[in-house]
Amino acid sequence: MRASFVFSEVVNGLRRNVTMTIAMILTTAISVGLLGGGLLVVRMIDKMQETYQDRVEVVVFMTDDVSANDDDCSQQPCASIMSELKRVPGVETVKYENRQQAFESFNKVFESQPELRDVARAEAMPASLRVKLSDPERFGVVQQEFTGRPGVDNVVNQAEYLDRMFDVLNGFRNATFAIALVQALAALLLISNTIQLSAFTRRTETGIMRLVGATRWYTQLPFLLEAVVSGLIGAVLAIGGLLIAKAAFIDRVMAPVFGTGIIPNIEWGDIAVVSPILLLVAAAVSAITGYVTLRLYVRL
């Protein structure tokens, strides 16, 4: 009977302040949804780091005359450059990629973008020596020793491009978290105001309950549950928003970007992993805010 009374009070409280309840739910949904978006970006960055960590190479691009005339790096100066690279401390492997192989790799990477494949030509692809380093810090040595050598056009560290891409993604993640924090502050204020208003409208009922011996926890529990229920509803709406965003935006609009294989796609499983975190955060924040509000501003 006590449980039935508490839950009936929760339902009645949500119905009495329906406009503030809706505002609280929507604000919570937005803040939790932004938090979920930031967590999905974090998972995407983690996937990229796992994917590219062992594939990052230093690329020594050969000049056009070497690319056109040496298919297996058996001629000078390519052969001597490869031999010297293998003797550099910290170099694990050196692999030669000729012009045709570079063209095939280009087509594989941009398989989902036929407009780029149509304009690309094998003659425009430079041959290269792809160097795997056991110590990425050794790039400076390779760059210093081989830049400007006959037959070498340029020395590129792929890790630098990845760092720039990670910086952009991290900036997007930080911006999302910052907006989520502002929205969360608004949600906290709404939760606090809603609880205070609910307590004020039911002050006579709770006063009578206190007079007949009801404990403080028993009179405060309905208000606390109101906040938690509203937070959970907001979290469910946020998860639904993430699912809709994946189906309507990520899978359609962003398909060409993810189709290149450079940036990993956001899977349904990623949302499934993030969803319990969002539910837990929404419930915990709502409960803590409700408890603090009741202890500081409401005397029941």
Side-chain angles (χ1 to χ4, degrees):
M1 183 181 299
R2 290 184 175 182
S4 176
F5 171 77
V6 170
F7 286 113
S8 65
E9 284 295 298
V10 171
V11 174
N12 290 333
L14 294 174
R15 291 172 57 186
R16 284 172 184 164
N17 306 308
V18 62
T19 54
M20 290 195 68
T21 300
I22 293 174
M24 181 170 60
I25 290 173
L26 293 178
T27 306
T28 303
I30 294 172
S31 61
V32 173
L34 289 170
L35 174 62
L39 292 177
L40 289 176
V41 173
V42 170
R43 287 185 61 83
M44 184 171 64
I45 293 173
D46 291 341
K47 287 182 182 179
M48 291 180 65
Q49 290 176 336
E50 291 177 3
T51 301
Y52 293 110
Q53 187 174 10
D54 296 329
R55 294 167 53 184
V56 174
E57 300 171 324
V58 172
V59 184
V60 180
F61 288 105
M62 312 308 292
T63 55
D64 188 64
D65 58 329
V66 175
S67 302
N69 301 314
D70 195 347
D71 289 335
D72 55 2
C73 199
S74 59
Q75 304 176 28
Q76 297 298 334
C78 184
S80 62
I81 293 174
M82 175 182 278
S83 177
E84 291 180 33
L85 277 170
K86 290 180 178 179
R87 293 196 298 267
V88 173
V91 172
E92 289 186 353
T93 60
V94 181
K95 180 182 177 182
Y96 182 68
E97 183 180 75
N98 61 36
R99 174 168 281 177
Q100 184 60 37
Q101 291 170 336
F103 182 63
E104 292 172 359
S105 299
F106 177 88
N107 287 333
K108 185 180 295 185
V109 171
F110 295 99
E111 184 177 1
S112 61
Q113 296 179 279
E115 63 278 5
L116 291 177
R117 297 176 59 186
D118 291 341
V119 299
R121 295 292 180 268
E123 294 76 15
M125 302 294 165
S128 61
L129 290 167
R130 298 187 170 270
V131 183
K132 179 69 176 177
L133 298 177
S134 58
D135 181 9
E137 300 298 329
R138 299 291 297 175
F139 165 71
V141 176
V142 175
Q143 185 182 41
Q144 182 178 1
E145 290 187 10
F146 292 91
T147 298
R149 289 277 297 271
V152 175
D153 181 60
N154 193 16
V155 180
V156 174
N157 186 9
Q158 292 180 338
E160 293 181 354
Y161 296 108
L162 290 177
D163 289 341
R164 294 174 190 172
M165 184 163 54
F166 288 145
D167 288 342
V168 173
L169 292 174
N170 286 329
F172 176 75
R173 177 204 61 192
N174 294 338
T176 302
F177 283 155
I179 299 174
L181 183 62
V182 174
Q183 289 290 334
L185 179 60
L188 294 180
L189 294 176
L190 274 172
I191 292 172
S192 178
N193 290 336
T194 302
I195 290 175
Q196 292 182 60
L197 181 60
S198 296
F200 179 78
T201 57
R202 283 182 279 175
R203 63 189 184 281
T204 302
E205 301 172 21
T206 53
I208 295 173
M209 291 173 62
R210 291 288 290 164
L211 288 174
V212 298
T215 63
R216 183 179 296 275
W217 264 109
Y218 189 70
T219 56
Q220 290 182 348
L221 186 58
F223 304 103
L224 193 60
L225 289 178
E226 285 179 29
V228 174
V229 169
S230 299
L232 288 175
I233 294 174
V236 171
L237 291 178
I239 294 170
L242 293 176
L243 295 173
I244 294 173
K246 173 172 171 51
F249 178 73
I250 295 176
D251 289 347
R252 294 184 182 181
V253 179
M254 300 296 292
V257 176
F258 294 125
T260 61
I262 299 174
I263 299 178
N265 193 9
I266 295 175
E267 306 291 344
W268 296 107
D270 295 325
I271 299 179
V273 171
V274 168
S275 296
I277 299 175
L278 301 184
L279 291 170
L280 181 61
V281 169
V285 170
S286 300
I288 293 172
T289 304
Y291 177 77
V292 172
T293 300
L294 289 170
R295 300 299 294 180
L296 295 180
Y297 301 108
V298 180
R299 300 299 178 187
L300 299 177

